[in-house]
Amino acid sequence: MNILHIDSAITGDASVSRKLTADIVAKLTAANPEASVTYRDLNEGVPAIDTDWFAAVRMAPENPTPEQQRLIDISDAYLAEVQAADVLVIGLPVYNFTLPAQVKNWLDQIARAGKSFRYTAEGPEGLLKGNRAIIAYSAAGTPMGSEFDHASGYLRFMLGFLGITDVDFVAADRLAMDREAGLARAQEALENLAA
């Protein structure tokens, strides 16, 4: 089993989502001692896509410039990590009712026509089939699945678009209202999670 462990919280050691992703990975590796883990901290910076990225990555020039090749290599590295993973463990802290910008940037880097999805006569088809994702959702005041939770549904949709439809959530939400209850709900979900 290859595990891709992704964190994104800006709060360092105080992060609930970082603790949850670590606990999820620990559970998976305890059940699968031969598992390998690749760690990626998106808080260290994920380049946003822009015109230069489009010209390099999406347009795929036959003879890319050194700068274009650098942009291609960055995007390829993010995508290769996902393609190699059997399980993605993704920290999803909610900021201002949605996912962190660095998670959006990461999704933009890996959502690549012909590589992670393709267009067919029946519509788009995800090419990352067979992968599982476990999302560690944390929010101070946004209940997961509520009308103002614009993080969990979007991430589930994007993963599904890429072919990853086996998605579980371990949610510690409403922490500002009742931290202990939110952490207890997450612990219960973690204990019930299939490893």
Side-chain angles (χ1 to χ4, degrees):
M1 173 187 287
N2 295 322
I3 301 167
L4 177 56
H5 177 178
I6 297 174
D7 280 325
S8 61
I10 62 174
T11 51
D13 291 340
S15 166
V16 171
S17 68
R18 285 177 185 272
K19 172 148 186 1
L20 288 175
T21 60
D23 289 348
I24 293 165
V25 169
K27 180 171 183 164
L28 293 172
T29 55
N32 303 278
E34 302 300 315
S36 66
V37 180
T38 300
Y39 182 72
R40 172 74 74 172
D41 188 347
L42 303 183
N43 191 49
E44 293 176 358
V46 180
I49 62 172
D50 59 12
T51 304
D52 292 337
W53 183 93
F54 182 82
V57 178
R58 285 281 172 89
M59 300 307 290
E62 203 170 297
N63 295 301
T65 67
E67 177 57 19
Q68 287 175 327
Q69 189 60 57
R70 186 184 73 80
L71 295 173
I72 294 165
D73 291 345
I74 290 169
S75 187
D76 283 351
Y78 288 122
L79 183 55
E81 288 176 347
V82 176
Q83 289 170 324
D86 300 300
V87 181
L88 286 73
V89 177
I90 304 173
L92 181 64
V94 176
Y95 302 140
N96 301 316
F97 310 105
T98 194
L99 65 166
Q102 51 269 36
V103 175
K104 175 64 166 69
N105 290 347
W106 175 77
L107 289 167
D108 287 342
Q109 290 282 354
I110 67 170
R112 293 176 50 191
K115 303 260 186 187
S116 56
F117 72 94
R118 67 181 177 180
Y119 293 109
T120 72
E122 291 76 39
E125 175 190 4
L127 300 176
L128 302 178
K129 296 174 183 165
N131 293 8
R132 177 185 182 197
I134 305 170
I135 314 301
Y137 177 102
S138 65
T142 305
M144 192 178 103
S146 68
E147 65 181 342
F148 48 94
D149 165 19
H150 302 289
S152 66
Y154 177 76
L155 184 54
R156 182 189 293 275
F157 172 82
M158 281 301 300
L159 291 172
F161 177 79
L162 300 177
I164 303 169
T165 56
D166 183 0
V167 180
D168 293 303
F169 282 85
V170 173
D173 57 1
R174 295 166 278 174
L175 295 171
M177 289 77 161
D178 189 340
R179 184 175 180 83
E180 292 309 311
L183 294 175
R185 284 190 299 274
Q187 187 60 42
E188 181 180 1
L190 179 60
E191 288 170 5
N192 293 328
L193 192 66

